[in-house]
Amino acid sequence: MSDELERVESERAELAEISRYDFLGIAGVASAVAAMAFSVIGMLRLPKPRVLPDVSSTVRLGKPAEFPPGTTAMRPHQKVCVISTDEGISAVSLVCTHLGCIVKLTESGFECPCHGSKFDDKGEVLAGPAPRALRWLAVSQAPDGTLLADRAKETAPDTSYKAST
Ligand code: FES
């Protein structure tokens, strides 16, 4: 009787061992198939960019009447400061030349909130770590009279655009 019991226990243990091996084998194959499937999906998605390119570097500032001479208009959402004088309209980039934070207007010019760079009212560096002055951007006018600033076109400091009204 004892031999019979041992034999049954041995068979049961063997069956349990085999089913564990089967499970591990199936799990291994399933993992490999899933990894290959995700790889193929990833490769198929490569040609399609996930980030849309910036369609235009030009920002619409508004009509010339919105910028009377002697005013300064901050446009942080457009990363531009519009300076209007008797000579015309100028646009200064608000992107800090250190690591790209948006600078804020102060009484004496501009200051970066990230690492403390200071710029004068012409955008020249007064205190680092910014390596160079703020960029002056080319200003133009759309056919409908709207002033445009081109973030891709830099002009000499103090360049102003005489807008037609
Ligand atoms: S990003 Fe402006 S000082 Fe560092």
Side-chain angles (χ1 to χ4, degrees):
M1 185 71 181
S2 151
D3 287 346
E4 183 67 19
L5 192 60
E6 274 180 31
R7 190 183 61 76
V8 169
E9 284 296 320
S10 169
E11 282 178 4
R12 189 178 288 165
E14 197 173 299
L15 282 175
E17 193 72 25
I18 289 169
S19 67
R20 190 181 321 144
Y21 284 132
D22 285 347
F23 172 77
L24 291 175
I26 290 167
V29 169
S31 298
V33 168
M36 281 192 281
F38 282 118
S39 299
V40 169
I41 290 169
M43 283 191 284
L44 292 176
R45 291 178 65 184
L46 275 179
K48 190 175 178 183
R50 299 193 66 188
V51 178
L52 294 176
D54 196 4
V55 287
S56 174
S57 60
T58 304
V59 292
R60 298 174 70 84
L61 302 174
K63 299 290 186 189
E66 295 175 41
F67 308 101
T71 61
T72 299
M74 291 291 281
R75 299 286 178 84
H77 60 289
Q78 294 179 314
K79 304 174 185 173
V80 170
C81 173
V82 183
I83 301 169
S84 179
T85 64
D86 290 332
E87 284 76 47
I89 307 280
S90 304
V92 178
S93 170
L94 294 178
V95 178
C96 179
T97 54
H98 180 221
L99 292 178
C101 291
I102 302 302
V103 299
K104 300 200 178 313
L105 190 65
T106 64
E107 285 183 12
S108 59
F110 303 92
E111 185 171 335
C112 182
C114 293
H115 309 104
S117 287
K118 290 183 168 61
F119 306 87
D120 68 10
D121 58 345
K122 306 284 185 211
E124 291 296 326
V125 178
L126 297 174
R132 60 182 292 255
L134 297 175
R135 298 167 59 236
W136 286 63
L137 307 177
V139 176
S140 60
Q141 220 165 355
D144 68 354
T146 303
L147 289 166
L148 308 170
D150 192 341
R151 286 188 293 223
K153 280 192 197 153
E154 189 170 349
T155 63
D158 254 347
T159 303
S160 51
Y161 176 82
K162 199 70 176 167
S164 57
T165 51

